Short mmCIF file of all heavy atoms in Angstrom, two decimals:
data_model
loop_
_atom_site.label_atom_id
_atom_site.label_comp_id
_atom_site.label_asym_id
_atom_site.label_seq_id
_atom_site.Cartn_x
_atom_site.Cartn_y
_atom_site.Cartn_z
N PRO A 1 90.52 136.18 48.25
CA PRO A 1 91.56 136.80 49.07
C PRO A 1 91.24 136.78 50.55
O PRO A 1 90.88 137.80 51.15
CB PRO A 1 91.61 138.23 48.53
CG PRO A 1 90.22 138.50 48.05
CD PRO A 1 89.71 137.18 47.52
N VAL A 2 91.34 135.63 51.18
CA VAL A 2 91.06 135.48 52.61
C VAL A 2 92.39 135.46 53.36
O VAL A 2 93.12 134.48 53.32
CB VAL A 2 90.28 134.18 52.90
CG1 VAL A 2 90.01 134.06 54.39
CG2 VAL A 2 88.98 134.15 52.11
N MET A 3 92.72 136.58 54.02
CA MET A 3 93.94 136.67 54.80
C MET A 3 95.16 136.24 54.00
O MET A 3 96.03 135.51 54.48
CB MET A 3 93.83 135.84 56.09
CG MET A 3 92.75 136.31 57.03
SD MET A 3 92.69 135.39 58.58
CE MET A 3 92.09 133.81 57.99
N SER A 4 95.24 136.67 52.74
CA SER A 4 96.34 136.26 51.88
C SER A 4 97.34 137.39 51.69
O SER A 4 97.05 138.55 51.98
CB SER A 4 95.80 135.79 50.53
OG SER A 4 95.08 136.82 49.90
N VAL A 5 98.49 137.06 51.17
CA VAL A 5 99.52 138.05 50.92
C VAL A 5 99.19 138.84 49.66
O VAL A 5 98.31 138.46 48.89
CB VAL A 5 100.90 137.37 50.76
CG1 VAL A 5 101.28 136.59 52.01
CG2 VAL A 5 100.94 136.47 49.52
N SER A 6 99.92 139.90 49.43
CA SER A 6 99.77 140.67 48.20
C SER A 6 100.46 139.94 47.06
O SER A 6 101.33 139.08 47.29
CB SER A 6 100.40 142.05 48.37
OG SER A 6 101.81 141.92 48.48
N PRO A 7 100.13 140.26 45.82
CA PRO A 7 100.86 139.66 44.69
C PRO A 7 102.35 139.93 44.77
O PRO A 7 103.16 139.07 44.41
CB PRO A 7 100.22 140.32 43.47
CG PRO A 7 98.84 140.68 43.91
CD PRO A 7 99.00 141.08 45.36
N GLU A 8 102.73 141.13 45.23
CA GLU A 8 104.15 141.46 45.35
C GLU A 8 104.86 140.50 46.30
O GLU A 8 105.94 139.99 46.00
CB GLU A 8 104.33 142.90 45.83
CG GLU A 8 103.96 143.96 44.82
CD GLU A 8 102.46 144.25 44.76
OE1 GLU A 8 101.67 143.61 45.48
OE2 GLU A 8 102.08 145.15 44.00
N ASP A 9 104.24 140.26 47.46
CA ASP A 9 104.85 139.34 48.42
C ASP A 9 104.84 137.91 47.90
O ASP A 9 105.76 137.13 48.14
CB ASP A 9 104.14 139.42 49.77
CG ASP A 9 104.45 140.71 50.52
OD1 ASP A 9 105.45 141.36 50.18
OD2 ASP A 9 103.69 141.07 51.44
N GLY A 10 103.78 137.55 47.17
CA GLY A 10 103.73 136.23 46.56
C GLY A 10 104.87 136.02 45.57
O GLY A 10 105.52 134.97 45.56
N ARG A 11 105.12 137.02 44.78
CA ARG A 11 106.20 136.92 43.79
C ARG A 11 107.56 136.81 44.48
O ARG A 11 108.47 136.12 44.01
CB ARG A 11 106.16 138.11 42.85
CG ARG A 11 104.92 138.14 41.98
CD ARG A 11 104.85 139.39 41.12
NE ARG A 11 105.71 139.27 39.95
CZ ARG A 11 105.76 140.21 39.01
NH1 ARG A 11 105.04 141.31 39.12
NH2 ARG A 11 106.56 140.05 37.97
N MET A 12 107.70 137.51 45.61
CA MET A 12 108.95 137.40 46.35
C MET A 12 109.13 135.99 46.91
O MET A 12 110.24 135.45 46.90
CB MET A 12 109.00 138.43 47.49
CG MET A 12 110.33 138.41 48.23
SD MET A 12 110.47 139.71 49.47
CE MET A 12 109.25 139.13 50.65
N ILE A 13 108.04 135.39 47.39
CA ILE A 13 108.11 134.01 47.87
C ILE A 13 108.60 133.09 46.76
O ILE A 13 109.49 132.26 46.97
CB ILE A 13 106.73 133.55 48.38
CG1 ILE A 13 106.39 134.24 49.71
CG2 ILE A 13 106.69 132.03 48.55
CD1 ILE A 13 104.96 134.05 50.17
N ARG A 14 108.03 133.25 45.59
CA ARG A 14 108.45 132.41 44.45
C ARG A 14 109.92 132.65 44.12
O ARG A 14 110.69 131.70 43.91
CB ARG A 14 107.57 132.72 43.24
CG ARG A 14 107.83 131.83 42.02
CD ARG A 14 108.76 132.46 41.01
NE ARG A 14 109.06 131.54 39.91
CZ ARG A 14 108.37 131.47 38.79
NH1 ARG A 14 107.33 132.26 38.59
NH2 ARG A 14 108.72 130.61 37.85
N LEU A 15 110.31 133.93 44.05
CA LEU A 15 111.67 134.28 43.69
C LEU A 15 112.68 133.68 44.66
O LEU A 15 113.66 133.05 44.25
CB LEU A 15 111.80 135.81 43.66
CG LEU A 15 113.10 136.44 43.17
CD1 LEU A 15 112.81 137.82 42.60
CD2 LEU A 15 114.13 136.56 44.29
N LEU A 16 112.42 133.82 45.96
CA LEU A 16 113.36 133.31 46.96
C LEU A 16 113.39 131.79 46.98
O LEU A 16 114.45 131.18 47.12
CB LEU A 16 112.98 133.84 48.35
CG LEU A 16 113.15 135.35 48.55
CD1 LEU A 16 112.61 135.76 49.92
CD2 LEU A 16 114.61 135.76 48.42
N THR A 17 112.23 131.17 46.81
CA THR A 17 112.14 129.71 46.81
C THR A 17 112.94 129.12 45.67
O THR A 17 113.73 128.17 45.85
CB THR A 17 110.68 129.25 46.70
OG1 THR A 17 109.95 129.75 47.83
CG2 THR A 17 110.56 127.74 46.66
N GLU A 18 112.77 129.68 44.49
CA GLU A 18 113.47 129.15 43.33
C GLU A 18 114.96 129.47 43.39
O GLU A 18 115.80 128.61 43.08
CB GLU A 18 112.85 129.71 42.05
CG GLU A 18 113.34 129.03 40.79
CD GLU A 18 112.47 129.33 39.58
OE1 GLU A 18 111.28 129.62 39.76
OE2 GLU A 18 113.01 129.24 38.46
N ALA A 19 115.31 130.70 43.79
CA ALA A 19 116.72 131.08 43.87
C ALA A 19 117.47 130.24 44.90
O ALA A 19 118.65 129.93 44.73
CB ALA A 19 116.84 132.56 44.23
N LEU A 20 116.77 129.85 45.96
CA LEU A 20 117.37 129.05 47.02
C LEU A 20 117.54 127.59 46.62
O LEU A 20 118.27 126.84 47.26
CB LEU A 20 116.48 129.14 48.26
CG LEU A 20 117.03 128.74 49.62
CD1 LEU A 20 118.21 129.63 50.01
CD2 LEU A 20 115.94 128.84 50.69
N GLY A 21 116.85 127.20 45.55
CA GLY A 21 116.87 125.80 45.14
C GLY A 21 116.17 124.92 46.15
O GLY A 21 116.56 123.77 46.39
N ALA A 22 115.11 125.46 46.76
CA ALA A 22 114.45 124.79 47.88
C ALA A 22 113.87 123.44 47.49
O ALA A 22 113.22 123.30 46.46
CB ALA A 22 113.34 125.68 48.43
N LYS A 23 114.10 122.45 48.34
CA LYS A 23 113.52 121.13 48.19
C LYS A 23 112.39 120.90 49.18
O LYS A 23 111.48 120.11 48.92
CB LYS A 23 114.59 120.05 48.39
CG LYS A 23 115.70 120.07 47.37
CD LYS A 23 115.19 119.76 45.97
CE LYS A 23 116.33 119.65 44.98
NZ LYS A 23 115.86 119.38 43.61
N HIS A 24 112.44 121.58 50.34
CA HIS A 24 111.42 121.42 51.36
C HIS A 24 111.03 122.78 51.89
O HIS A 24 111.83 123.47 52.53
CB HIS A 24 111.92 120.54 52.50
CG HIS A 24 110.88 120.19 53.51
ND1 HIS A 24 111.17 119.64 54.74
CD2 HIS A 24 109.52 120.33 53.47
CE1 HIS A 24 110.05 119.45 55.42
NE2 HIS A 24 109.04 119.87 54.67
N ALA A 25 109.82 123.19 51.59
CA ALA A 25 109.27 124.45 52.07
C ALA A 25 108.16 124.16 53.08
O ALA A 25 107.41 123.20 52.92
CB ALA A 25 108.72 125.28 50.91
N VAL A 26 108.08 125.01 54.10
CA VAL A 26 107.05 124.86 55.13
C VAL A 26 106.32 126.18 55.28
O VAL A 26 106.95 127.24 55.41
CB VAL A 26 107.66 124.43 56.48
CG1 VAL A 26 106.61 124.48 57.59
CG2 VAL A 26 108.25 123.03 56.37
N GLU A 27 104.99 126.12 55.27
CA GLU A 27 104.15 127.31 55.43
C GLU A 27 103.24 127.11 56.63
O GLU A 27 102.62 126.06 56.77
CB GLU A 27 103.32 127.54 54.17
CG GLU A 27 102.37 128.72 54.26
CD GLU A 27 101.54 128.88 53.00
OE1 GLU A 27 100.96 127.87 52.53
OE2 GLU A 27 101.47 130.01 52.49
N ILE A 28 103.15 128.14 57.47
CA ILE A 28 102.23 128.13 58.59
C ILE A 28 101.13 129.15 58.29
O ILE A 28 101.37 130.35 58.30
CB ILE A 28 102.92 128.49 59.92
CG1 ILE A 28 104.20 127.66 60.11
CG2 ILE A 28 101.96 128.30 61.08
CD1 ILE A 28 103.99 126.19 60.16
N GLY A 29 99.94 128.66 57.98
CA GLY A 29 98.83 129.53 57.61
C GLY A 29 98.52 129.42 56.13
O GLY A 29 98.82 130.32 55.34
N THR A 30 97.91 128.32 55.72
CA THR A 30 97.59 128.08 54.31
C THR A 30 96.56 129.05 53.78
O THR A 30 96.64 129.50 52.64
CB THR A 30 97.03 126.65 54.14
OG1 THR A 30 97.84 125.72 54.83
CG2 THR A 30 96.91 126.29 52.67
N SER A 31 95.55 129.35 54.61
CA SER A 31 94.36 130.08 54.19
C SER A 31 93.75 129.36 53.00
O SER A 31 93.59 128.15 53.02
CB SER A 31 94.67 131.55 53.90
OG SER A 31 93.48 132.27 53.68
N THR A 32 93.46 130.05 51.91
CA THR A 32 92.82 129.41 50.75
C THR A 32 93.83 129.01 49.68
O THR A 32 93.45 128.66 48.57
CB THR A 32 91.75 130.33 50.15
OG1 THR A 32 92.32 131.62 49.91
CG2 THR A 32 90.57 130.48 51.11
#
């Protein structure tokens, strides 16, 4: 857990990504 989000926020990322039907996602700050 190096500067990472909480599991709750991670699950929200997944939920929004899938619901949006995302084809191209961009993240700034990969960490681990």
Side-chain angles (χ1 to χ4, degrees):
V2 180
M3 297 184 290
S4 58
V5 301
S6 68
E8 290 82 357
D9 287 342
R11 294 176 79 176
M12 184 175 68
I13 288 170
R14 184 263 176 91
L15 186 153
L16 293 175
T17 299
E18 190 165 334
L20 197 62
K23 296 296 185 181
H24 187 193
V26 172
E27 177 182 48
I28 311 299
T30 313
S31 188
T32 52

